[in-house]
Amino acid sequence: MKVVTHENYDQMSKNVAQRIAQVVTKKPNAVLCLPTGSTPIGLYREIIRLHKEENLDFSNVTAFNLDEYFGLPEEHPQSYSYYLWNRLYKHINIPKENIHYIRVLSNKLEDVDQYCQEHDATINELGGFDLLVDGIGLNGHIGFNEPADELIPHTHLEPLSQSTIDENSRFFDSKNDVPRYALTMGMGTIFKAKQIILIASGSHKSEIVHKILHSNVTTQIPATLLHLHQNIEMHLDHEAAKLL
Ligand code: GLP
């Protein structure tokens, strides 16, 4: 895994935005997979700037996102579809029909399974992702693939770990409001990316960053599986890199 350390969050955001711009410029119908969370906020700000000031064109781009809380209505400010629409998609010229959220309206498990299969089939038909960008959970989760003895490779419903519920409760009024389940691409779906960029910012991420880079591959730290990918970079700001 190649590690790129940046002076600060702003530099990291700008650099990763440039990487997305390169992919989209070289291949105007690129398929992207994009993250949510606090880390990519600066990245999306910079992409919007590149679109508005430097005409970065998204009119043929297709975009997916990695994961979504299960059971939150679409208009809920913490839903990832709400996040991506408001922080990125509505500010650039990506056609609505090219935006793929992970969201299933039914609560029936068989409908969820069917939805997940169709979701992975759509990704396969498109030939996988040209670039996937992802953040890292404090417990090493990727998307919402939580530490476990075994990981489900395809898109699926995942029970959230207590540590993720605790970590993400900062976005909700109370811990009780954090959904207990989420839909996430599996590690196999993530591996359909030709190129992966992991991003991490802040000193609270420094321990998990160190662990990912120095551990053997283990499903107990899902991000370590990414050591097996042939084209992966981890971009860090100075604080996240402080234990390296
Ligand atoms: C969340 C999301 C992940 C995200 C991670 C890091 O739980 N499921 O996709 O990458 O946590 O979030 P943040 O960037 O806010 O630290």
Side-chain angles (χ1 to χ4, degrees):
M1 198 180 300
K2 184 177 165 198
V3 179
V4 185
T5 303
H6 303 276
E7 210 172 301
N8 53 41
Y9 175 72
D10 207 38
Q11 288 305 318
M12 180 184 85
S13 303
K14 286 189 171 147
N15 189 282
V16 176
Q18 280 302 332
R19 301 295 297 277
I20 293 178
Q22 278 162 15
V23 170
V24 170
T25 306
K26 196 165 161 205
K27 187 176 175 193
N29 64 345
V31 181
L32 304 177
C33 183
L34 299 170
T36 51
S38 50
T39 316
I41 290 174
L43 163 66
Y44 293 148
R45 215 179 286 134
E46 179 62 11
I47 290 181
I48 294 165
R49 192 195 68 74
L50 289 172
H51 169 66
K52 296 208 155 123
E53 293 178 16
E54 297 181 27
N55 297 321
L56 184 61
D57 180 26
F58 288 88
S59 61
N60 285 306
V61 167
T62 297
F64 287 81
N65 66 305
L66 281 148
D67 49 9
E68 177 62 281
Y69 291 114
F70 184 64
L72 277 194
E74 201 170 334
E75 62 282 2
H76 191 289
Q78 292 311 327
S79 86
Y80 289 168
S81 33
Y82 181 97
Y83 171 110
L84 279 160
W85 176 254
N86 285 290
R87 288 198 185 275
L88 180 65
Y89 297 148
K90 78 173 183 187
H91 304 285
I92 59 177
N93 64 336
I94 184 166
K96 270 194 175 165
E97 59 275 20
N98 290 8
I99 298 171
H100 298 263
Y101 299 114
I102 304 194
R103 78 170 18 261
V104 55
L105 297 173
S106 162
N107 280 337
K108 281 204 223 138
L109 281 184
E110 59 268 31
D111 292 344
V112 174
D113 282 350
Q114 172 77 22
Y115 172 85
C116 289
Q117 280 176 30
E118 286 168 10
H119 189 74
D120 280 347
T122 307
I123 294 165
N124 283 339
E125 277 159 29
L126 288 164
F129 313 113
D130 293 289
L131 173 63
L132 179 146
V133 182
D134 193 13
I136 307 165
L138 284 180
N139 62 2
H141 72 220
I142 286 292
F144 271 127
N145 291 283
E146 296 281 31
D149 289 343
E150 294 180 352
L151 299 180
I152 299 173
H154 43 261
T155 300
H156 62 280
L157 190 64
E158 175 98 6
L160 297 184
S161 68
Q162 192 56 48
S163 99
T164 296
I165 292 168
D166 293 348
E167 182 186 351
N168 288 4
S169 63
R170 70 201 144 117
F171 297 118
F172 291 84
D173 289 341
S174 83
K175 220 173 256 188
N176 284 340
D177 294 333
V178 184
R180 270 29 187 182
Y181 286 86
L183 288 159
T184 183
M185 288 184 184
M187 295 307 291
T189 324
I190 290 168
F191 265 69
K192 292 191 193 303
K194 296 177 184 83
Q195 191 186 349
I196 298 179
I197 294 181
L198 286 180
I199 50 174
S201 154
S203 59
H204 64 300
K205 289 283 168 79
S206 59
E207 254 179 64
I208 189 64
V209 162
H210 182 270
K211 258 195 209 163
I212 293 164
L213 292 172
H214 296 281
S215 295
N216 287 332
V217 174
T218 166
T219 58
Q220 295 298 341
I221 310 173
T224 60
L225 268 83
L226 297 171
H227 284 295
L228 304 173
H229 195 275
Q230 81 232 337
N231 189 357
I232 173 148
E233 289 177 12
M234 187 190 264
H235 285 247
L236 306 170
D237 66 5
H238 190 67
E239 296 282 287
K242 74 176 184 190
L243 298 179
L244 299 187

